Amino acid sequence: MNRRNFFRRLAAIPVLPVLWRQLPIPAQASATLASPSARRVRPSDSSWPNAESWEKLKQDVGGNLVKVESPLVACESASDSASCQEVIKNLRNPYFIGDQAGGTQTSGWVDAWTSAPSVYAVAARNAADVVAAINFARENNLRLVVKGGGHSYQGTSNAADSLLIWTRAMNNITVHDTFVAQGCAGSQAPQPAVTVEAGAMWIDTYNAVTTKAGRYVQGGGCTTVGVAGLIQSGGFGSFSKKYGMAAAALLEAEVVTADGALRTANARTNPDLFWAIKGGGGGSLGVVTKLTLRTHELPAFFGGVFANITATSDAAFRRLIGQFISFYKDSLFNPDWGEIVAFRPDNTLAISMVFQGFDKQQAEKVWQPFFDWVRGSPVGLTIESAPTIVSLPARNFWNAEDLSKKAPGMVFTDDRPGAADTHMWWASNQGEVGFYLHGYESAWLPASLLEKDGQERLMNALFAASRHWKVSLHFNKGLAGAPTDAVAAARDTAMNPAVVDAFALAIIAGSGPRHIRVFLASRI
Ligand SMILES: Cc1cc2nc3c(=O)[nH]c(=O)nc-3n(C[C@H](O)[C@H](O)[C@H](O)COP(=O)(O)OP(=O)(O)OC[C@H]3O[C@@H](n4cnc5c(N)ncnc54)[C@H](O)[C@@H]3O)c2cc1C
């Protein structure tokens, strides 16, 4: 399947059960979509379902219909009250936010959206609850929104005046030694895999697959991102340069489409839907209830390299950028290296790279020429903090207990009473917890920029951009340099094909902490 064929076939299907952004599309979809006056029923409308109807839905979903409030409701009357202060403290914990039906990990985006709670949520326990919620929304012409991990940047997992399908409680995970997708016996060899329900976070998946079972599954870097949302977004983690895009590892999905049908999607059954789920955008095609992903052999080690190098002049910074690009091309442009370097307006190169497969000495050897060059540079470069190179058994990479002991500054754990002791998040993600976006731009950088005649252009562009704002290159979010099978698998997804020619994704973003005034303004 390729994008052109998919859209051709989509156009040929009169009634594809599509679930477009927050809108349940009924069977007479084509007419509704064409009509600019299409409008969902809001609580202020007389056709809003009455109490009896809601009660009936509640019974249909085993009692799991909840009234939704913003997590900050305690602050509405008094922002200095103890309960408000407690909530504000908790809003620095991504697991707390995820546990709130009305919580979102991004709290808004200037001039775009502000997090707003739904009216009701079906706290789904299983696919039947999802079917009931979709049917109810369709029959009553309600706004419908789906939330898993709640990490949407675009605000697509929250909507005022809506019914929410909240998958948080659907988090079972089953590891398989020999999985064959339904109807694929004979065409697909049995392979190790993991089946994950839609509300699971990556940390739960890593705990089951890596910490417990000693295997690797490609997921996200941020541990609290939802599995279903990330797979539908394409999905990259620290080691994607080796294992590819997360969506490309999808073997099978179970999906409830807007007509309320529970469908299996894999290479043989509903192959169009299967292809489109792989990176086609969360909430676009239906509500995914579970996913099965290929797993890989785990390497011996995972590790990281961290350093900050500051130049004392613009000229020295340009040289540093140029030298790093050349070093990256010669030594790091391969499946072993991922994550980030940032070029900052204060002429600092901030290195925060990860690797797979090397012990500490091997990683040091890779970087030695670069740090030797910096130390020997005749002009104006200072290594702000001595380079830190760490390597640990890969099986412990997401082991909260081990990391808290060995690298206490690198992780935080959910310290609420009764919280799972496996629930940790990287300190480097703390700034994103509940953040409010001021701007967020990204661009895939083609690998041709690493060729000799492209490097100077790239250096000039990075230097010029860094005069305005911090520019980060996320090497694991571009697949140039990845193994051919990872590239081929990514091509067979709905993701923008530019990903396979890019050596990195450049991100320029600005954000601040969620401001209580933003919340209060949205309530007035
Ligand atoms: C702090 C932060 C860190 C991030 N880190 C990474 C990273 O390391 N790697 C990466 O690739 N991306 C990352 N992202 C982006 C993230 O993968 C996407 O935003 C992803 O869509 C989030 O999924 P979610 O389930 O957590 O979010 P949600 O907001 O719950 O869902 C995202 C979208 O998917 C839809 N959706 C959710 N569940 C379902 C379902 N079961 N069926 C159908 N639709 C569904 C929602 O309606 C919404 O449109 C990050 C985002 C943030 C805010």
Side-chain angles (χ1 to χ4, degrees):
M1 179 70 57
N2 64 33
R3 298 169 74 82
R4 186 167 298 174
N5 286 345
F6 176 75
F7 288 114
R8 220 177 260 148
R9 289 173 75 168
L10 179 72
I13 301 170
V15 190
L16 186 83
V18 174
L19 201 139
W20 273 8
R21 184 177 181 261
Q22 302 166 0
L23 302 176
I25 307 300
Q28 59 279 23
S30 22
T32 312
L33 284 171
S35 161
S37 61
R39 181 183 180 282
R40 301 294 158 194
V41 171
R42 307 272 179 149
S44 55
D45 294 328
S46 58
S47 48
W48 181 254
N50 61 22
E52 260 172 47
S53 303
W54 287 110
E55 186 52 38
K56 166 83 173 54
L57 174 62
K58 187 170 183 172
Q59 285 167 17
D60 289 348
V61 297
N64 295 308
L65 181 75
V66 293
K67 194 98 182 73
V68 186
E69 284 184 332
S70 163
L72 276 165
V73 74
C75 300
E76 265 184 24
S77 49
S79 59
D80 54 356
S81 66
S83 50
C84 173
Q85 293 306 314
E86 178 68 12
V87 171
I88 288 174
K89 179 181 149 252
N90 277 330
L91 285 173
R92 294 184 54 71
N93 175 345
Y95 293 94
F96 170 84
I97 297 177
D99 286 342
Q100 314 303 308
T104 52
Q105 297 286 342
T106 303
S107 51
W109 189 327
V110 173
D111 291 340
W113 63 278
T114 300
S115 188
S118 300
V119 182
Y120 286 103
V122 170
R125 261 47 184 182
N126 49 48
D129 290 351
V130 174
V131 170
I134 287 184
N135 287 341
F136 186 85
R138 189 186 60 249
E139 284 156 12
N140 291 285
N141 194 23
L142 304 183
R143 304 185 91 192
L144 181 67
V145 61
V146 194
K147 187 172 66 155
H151 281 63
S152 170
Y153 290 114
Q154 293 97 347
T156 49
S157 54
N158 75 97
D161 297 344
S162 67
L163 171 63
L164 170 69
I165 296 177
W166 187 33
T167 60
R168 185 76 164 179
M170 294 174 66
N171 55 14
N172 285 323
I173 298 174
T174 311
V175 174
H176 312 276
D177 292 331
T178 49
F179 178 84
V180 180
Q182 198 180 307
C184 294
S187 66
Q188 202 173 70
Q191 57 192 309
V194 60
T195 298
V196 184
E197 283 190 335
M201 290 173 281
W202 284 105
I203 189 63
D204 298 323
T205 316
Y206 297 147
N207 185 44
V209 173
T210 301
T211 314
K212 289 192 178 149
R215 301 271 308 165
Y216 180 81
V217 59
Q218 186 55 62
C222 173
T223 56
T224 52
V225 167
V227 173
L230 183 131
I231 293 296
Q232 291 173 91
S233 312
F236 300 96
S238 303
F239 308 107
S240 280
K241 202 68 128 185
K242 164 81 176 172
Y243 302 100
M245 216 167 71
L250 187 68
L251 297 174
E252 186 163 271
E254 185 185 84
V255 191
V256 184
T257 43
D259 55 358
L262 180 63
R263 297 169 199 267
T264 295
N266 62 39
R268 279 283 170 97
T269 310
N270 294 313
D272 302 16
L273 184 57
F274 176 63
W275 176 83
I277 284 171
K278 295 189 283 180
S284 312
L285 301 138
V287 181
V288 171
T289 49
K290 66 180 177 191
L291 299 153
T292 301
L293 301 163
R294 176 181 299 119
T295 66
H296 304 266
E297 203 174 313
L298 193 64
F301 299 102
F302 285 145
V305 177
F306 309 93
N308 279 356
I309 302 164
T310 300
T312 51
S313 67
D314 288 358
F317 193 46
R318 295 174 82 98
R319 285 187 61 219
L320 176 62
I321 296 172
Q323 185 68 22
F324 179 80
I325 292 169
S326 160
F327 169 67
Y328 175 81
K329 167 73 190 327
D330 294 343
S331 304
L332 307 179
F333 182 42
N334 59 54
D336 297 330
W337 292 91
E339 288 293 355
I340 307 169
V341 298
F343 306 92
R344 299 201 316 225
D346 66 353
N347 286 346
T348 298
L349 169 69
I351 297 165
S352 184
M353 297 286 287
V354 295
F355 57 84
Q356 64 86 33
F358 300 136
D359 63 21
K360 188 168 185 286
Q361 286 71 30
Q362 289 168 317
E364 278 169 352
K365 201 164 159 209
V366 173
W367 280 79
Q368 192 172 344
F370 179 72
F371 287 121
D372 283 352
W373 177 87
V374 172
R375 288 189 192 99
S377 175
V379 282
L381 295 182
T382 313
I383 300 181
E384 292 294 337
S385 46
T388 305
I389 301 188
V390 289
S391 177
L392 69 159
R395 199 164 178 161
N396 287 344
F397 193 77
W398 289 285
N399 182 332
E401 196 189 339
D402 198 63
L403 289 171
S404 304
K405 279 189 207 134
K406 295 189 182 141
M410 287 183 72
V411 294
F412 297 120
T413 52
D414 185 358
D415 57 1
R416 293 172 300 156
D421 55 12
T422 52
H423 279 178
M424 65 84 171
W425 70 99
W426 302 110
S428 54
N429 287 128
Q430 183 62 59
E432 296 163 306
V433 179
F435 67 170
Y436 189 79
L437 292 172
H438 301 165
Y440 201 111
E441 298 294 335
S442 62
W444 272 308
L445 303 182
S448 55
L449 287 170
L450 295 176
E451 297 304 323
K452 273 278 169 275
D453 56 353
Q455 289 191 9
E456 191 172 351
R457 274 201 304 141
L458 179 59
M459 182 270 284
N460 285 333
L462 291 170
F463 177 76
S466 70
R467 299 307 84 194
H468 301 280
W469 206 257
K470 182 176 90 171
V471 185
S472 302
L473 300 189
H474 294 234
F475 298 106
N476 48 308
K477 292 174 182 158
L479 293 181
T484 38
D485 58 341
V487 171
R491 282 192 200 283
D492 188 22
T493 70
M495 193 71 167
N496 185 330
V499 65
V500 298
D501 299 322
F503 74 94
L505 183 71
I507 298 182
I508 302 181
S511 65
R514 178 193 191 114
H515 198 293
I516 194 159
R517 283 213 196 108
V518 170
F519 160 72
L520 291 175
S522 74
R523 311 279 298 175
I524 294 166

